[in-house]
Amino acid sequence: MESRSPDQLPLVVIAGPTASGKTALAIKLAKKYNGEIICADSRTIYRGMDIGTAKPTAEEQAEVPHWGIDLVEPGERFTAADFKSYAEAKIGEIRARGRIPFLVGGTGLYIDAILFDYQFGPNTDPSQRQMLEGLSLLELQEYCRKNSIVLPQNVQNKRYLIRAIEQKGVNLRRKSEPISNSIIVGISTGKPILDKRIALRTEQLFQNGVVEEAIKLGKKYGWESEAFTGNIYKIVRLYLSGELKEEEMKDKFTTLDRQLAKRQMTWLRRNRSIYWANLGDAEHYISGLLAK
């Protein structure tokens, strides 16, 4: 690989639902083939939200360079267009170093924005933004349904819903085929296995101190921050207020993560260019292509 020119180095995409094992696979392959990882995850972009978003650990990040993590403060605006601009720059930098970029994550819009070269529209119309911000969560969801707008993966986040409405028609400004020189793999995991992995990760998050992390973040950024919407932090808040017992809190988070995995797969399955395989077969497939 090191003898190739930067433009010849492929982009390796490893997509899949939460808890599917894609991060560990990406690290293993990146170490073997001189790669660097760009995280395509709309949750790990936030600083301080480490345990609750299951970011790659400090040890994992020390094994292989990681990008796309800790980009903005919780609640700060960061769009798919922002991610595309950031990721494309990183892909170029990684290739310029003679290394292989690995785009890894479960946020389908982030991945598709790169693979199909989405051309995002202009910034929002202030008057439309004001109108949309005045709508409730349910009203925004209904607006999307009535206007045939694809719901974002996190349908509980007003900011994501508003941006989906503002970007209506973006799919008409995209390539019909993935960009050249890309290897695109999806991690396929049977539901029983994935459910067990999600339940296990729930226990690990609480053992690692997610409640303490949530308290710290809530004090620093305020519990109303939209970055806390639709994830474990809002459930921890219910626990802290006495509305949930510990086991109820864990059960709700497990359910939330399973719902997230289902939404992620629904989005990713629309990409017919993805080669789906279990972890072992995916490793063999990617290794075979990179070894050439």
Side-chain angles (χ1 to χ4, degrees), residues 18-249:
T18 184
S20 61
K22 56 188 178 294
T23 297
L25 175 61
I27 291 173
K28 183 177 182 180
L29 291 171
K31 287 176 66 177
K32 184 176 181 180
Y33 294 103
N34 193 32
E36 300 184 24
I37 294 172
I38 303 168
C39 294
D41 189 311
S42 62
R43 301 179 302 171
T44 58
I45 61 171
Y46 294 116
R47 300 186 188 105
M49 297 172 65
D50 303 327
I51 301 170
T53 63
K55 282 180 189 172
T57 64
E59 292 75 18
E60 289 173 328
Q61 293 184 49
E63 290 186 75
V64 174
H66 280 68
W67 307 99
I69 296 174
D70 299 337
L71 300 181
V72 294
E73 298 291 328
E76 189 176 343
R77 188 166 178 265
F78 189 86
T79 67
D82 293 327
F83 177 81
K84 179 175 184 278
S85 178
Y86 171 87
E88 286 181 335
K90 288 300 175 187
I91 289 169
E93 292 170 11
I94 293 168
R95 282 174 165 163
R97 290 191 283 270
R99 298 169 69 89
I100 298 174
F102 284 74
L103 183 66
V104 183
T107 300
L109 179 56
Y110 281 13
I111 292 170
D112 285 355
I114 298 297
L115 285 177
F116 297 99
D117 192 22
Y118 277 21
Q119 299 302 304
F120 291 93
N123 290 331
T124 181
D125 174 5
S127 60
Q128 183 193 37
R129 169 60 70 92
Q130 185 176 11
M131 181 275 291
L132 293 172
E133 288 180 341
L135 299 179
S136 69
L137 189 67
L138 291 177
E139 287 172 332
L140 288 168
Q141 293 170 352
E142 185 61 23
Y143 184 100
C144 289
R145 294 188 183 97
K146 286 183 177 179
N147 292 276
S148 301
I149 297 171
V150 177
L151 290 169
Q153 288 178 6
N154 189 346
V155 297
Q156 301 301 317
N157 189 308
K158 283 187 67 174
R159 181 161 49 86
Y160 289 178
L161 286 164
I162 290 172
R163 196 58 182 162
I165 293 170
E166 292 173 340
Q167 291 293 344
K168 181 183 178 183
V170 69
N171 288 342
L172 300 178
R173 299 190 297 277
R174 50 169 282 178
K175 292 181 177 179
S176 59
E177 298 294 332
I179 57 177
S180 61
N181 204 13
S182 56
I183 299 170
I184 311 167
V185 175
I187 305 303
S188 179
T189 308
K191 187 177 185 300
I193 296 175
L194 187 61
D195 284 349
K196 288 181 180 179
R197 291 178 66 94
I198 289 174
L200 176 61
R201 193 169 74 174
T202 294
E203 291 296 331
Q204 291 174 336
L205 292 182
F206 285 95
Q207 291 173 8
N208 291 340
V210 72
V211 172
E212 292 75 15
E213 179 179 81
I215 293 172
K216 180 180 178 181
L217 291 169
K219 289 180 178 178
K220 184 173 182 179
Y221 297 104
W223 287 103
E224 302 306 319
S225 171
E226 286 190 13
F228 299 159
T229 305
N231 56 36
I232 194 170
Y233 300 108
K234 71 172 185 178
I235 297 175
V236 172
R237 185 184 186 186
L238 295 175
Y239 165 72
L240 294 172
S241 66
E243 297 178 56
L244 292 177
K245 296 180 180 179
E246 183 174 333
E247 285 306 311
E248 291 175 323
M249 172 178 60

